[in-house]
Amino acid sequence: QVQLVESGGGLVQAGGSLRLSCVASGYIGSINDMGWYRQYPGEQRELVATITSDGSANYANSVKGRFTISRDNAKNTVYLQMNRLKPEDTAVYYCWSLVVVSTTRLRDPYWGQGTRVTVSS
């Protein structure tokens, strides 16, 4: 069993910054890819950024140049630094992790509960 706990969401003005954090805990053998997704009201969840176990990152075009994903493998943590925020970044942000569960040796995906980011104009 693995849990992802997110933090760092909140209300900011356009042009401001936030840093989201997500900590994985539980029966973790190893963590492969990690990422951040976001969901607008009434819409499906969409990819924001992903990062591999060795730090290779990919971003949605809408956030390139503004957001940076990073991870600390020793802490089982993934971060999303969000700069120059825009009102259209307003969404619930979810952490995702592909984990090799130590008890089963199986690779399973896990999701956080989500954290809301609101950007005012």
Side-chain angles (χ1 to χ4, degrees), residues 30-77:
S30 62
I31 301 177
N32 297 133
D33 292 357
M34 305 182 79
W36 291 93
Y37 294 71
R38 65 187 179 188
Q39 187 170 24
Y40 303 112
E43 302 290 336
Q44 291 188 306
R45 204 166 295 180
E46 67 178 30
L47 176 69
V48 176
T50 59
I51 186 168
T52 65
S53 60
D54 64 352
S56 180
N58 286 293
Y59 300 92
N61 288 333
S62 59
V63 306
K64 284 182 178 177
R66 299 189 298 119
F67 291 9
T68 302
I69 188 171
S70 61
R71 62 191 288 168
D72 186 333
N73 291 332
K75 297 180 179 179
N76 292 329
T77 301

Side-chain angles (χ1 to χ4, degrees), residues 100-120:
V100 178
V101 180
S102 62
T103 53
T104 65
R105 306 292 187 180
L106 299 176
R107 188 175 65 181
D108 295 318
Y110 290 89
W111 292 91
Q113 295 298 310
T115 184
R116 169 162 286 278
V117 172
T118 302
V119 184
S120 62

